[in-house]
Amino acid sequence: MLNHATLLGLAIVFAAGAPEDARHPVITEVLFNVPKGDAGDATGDGVRHSAGDEFVELFNGTTAPMELAGYTLTNRLTTGDQETTRGVRFRFPKFTLPPGGVVVVFNGCESDIEGPVGTASKAPKEANSLFGDAYVFTMDNRSRNRAFSNGGDFVLLSSPRGEALDAVTWGRSDPEPPEETVRVATVRSNPKGSVQRVTAESPMEAHLSIDGRACSPGELPPTPTGGE
Ligand SMILES: [Ca+2]
């Protein structure tokens, strides 16, 4: 029989488990609206592509390695719909992100990204010096329909267990990120480049307003002078 002391004990066990569960990567940068011209060539392959140059950057802000297998990135079309042939969906293969490590997932449509570059089925062999020594993946999307919508959309990071962890949304997204999402950042739909947060906890800002660059796949810009 469960008496009061037992229930209290269960509560304590549950609370003690919470920090363990909180060890997830966070979204630190998103390029969902690729700017015109050279500034839009985030992949650095010499071609600006409205879908292919889109990317999502993740960061391990903890002091422990993280296994990324099974984490997913989805948008408004693919969240809860695995069958649709439109929208953005990426599921990480087995890959351990070291403490302080950064991952970039490019859309990759009609792009030629210099290696090492991983895919949904295979992790990159090593960090990529062209992208701030981040670990680079490509969704290797084959259709322009597999992209973010500039006018209104979101990107959602979910855990392997399907918990909605971290989202960035812009414009009029229909639907909006799931209500249970642990953190949702809302940004303007035309930031003229990416949106970036400089630490795991910082607000998402237009990259241009941080350091004048349109984006920085794989790099977390230094925190502004006077910051932490
Ligand atoms: Ca490109």
Side-chain angles (χ1 to χ4, degrees):
M1 189 176 117
L2 290 176
N3 57 28
H4 183 72
T6 310
L7 286 173
L8 195 63
L10 286 173
I12 288 165
V13 167
F14 179 75
E20 197 74 24
D21 291 341
R23 284 186 194 154
H24 296 292
V26 293
I27 299 174
T28 46
E29 186 175 3
V30 188
L31 181 64
F32 54 84
N33 186 342
V34 177
K36 297 275 194 287
D38 290 347
D41 182 17
T43 57
D45 62 359
V47 180
R48 179 262 179 197
H49 193 290
S50 61
D53 282 304
E54 292 180 350
F55 69 86
V56 182
E57 180 187 83
L58 305 180
F59 173 54
N60 175 358
T62 77
T63 54
M66 286 177 183
E67 176 51 53
L68 294 195
Y71 279 88
T72 60
L73 294 169
T74 54
N75 80 334
R76 77 190 195 291
L77 298 174
T78 58
T79 300
D81 182 355
Q82 304 204 16
E83 306 303 321
T84 178
T85 57
R86 301 177 63 219
V88 174
R89 169 176 286 279
F90 183 78
R91 189 171 194 273
F92 280 93
K94 191 169 163 41
F95 172 70
T96 305
L97 182 61
V102 176
V103 158
V104 180
V105 183
F106 283 106
N107 176 295
C109 185
E110 297 171 13
S111 303
D112 182 19
I113 309 164
E114 260 190 78
V117 179
T119 63
S121 56
K122 199 165 190 284
K125 282 200 180 70
E126 51 191 30
N128 192 319
S129 61
L130 295 172
F131 300 96
D133 281 326
Y135 297 88
V136 175
F137 290 77
T138 177
M139 298 183 192
D140 207 10
N141 286 326
R142 302 303 166 93
S143 159
R144 284 167 189 262
N145 289 332
R146 288 218 167 270
F148 294 120
S149 166
N150 291 352
D153 204 345
F154 65 79
V155 57
L156 171 67
L157 173 70
S158 300
S159 76
R161 289 189 293 181
E163 304 152 284
L165 300 173
D166 204 11
V168 179
T169 186
W170 57 91
R172 292 170 185 272
S173 180
D174 181 19
E176 296 182 337
E179 212 164 294
E180 65 273 21
T181 308
V182 176
R183 177 172 69 173
V184 178
T186 302
V187 298
R188 52 185 284 219
S189 56
N190 190 7
K192 316 273 186 196
S194 71
V195 291
Q196 170 97 51
R197 57 166 55 96
V198 294
T199 73
E201 303 301 330
S202 308
M204 276 287 181
E205 302 172 72
H207 205 298
L208 273 179
S209 72
I210 296 175
D211 65 3
R213 290 185 293 169
C215 63
S216 62
E219 284 174 57
L220 295 190
T223 50
T225 317
E228 295 149 43

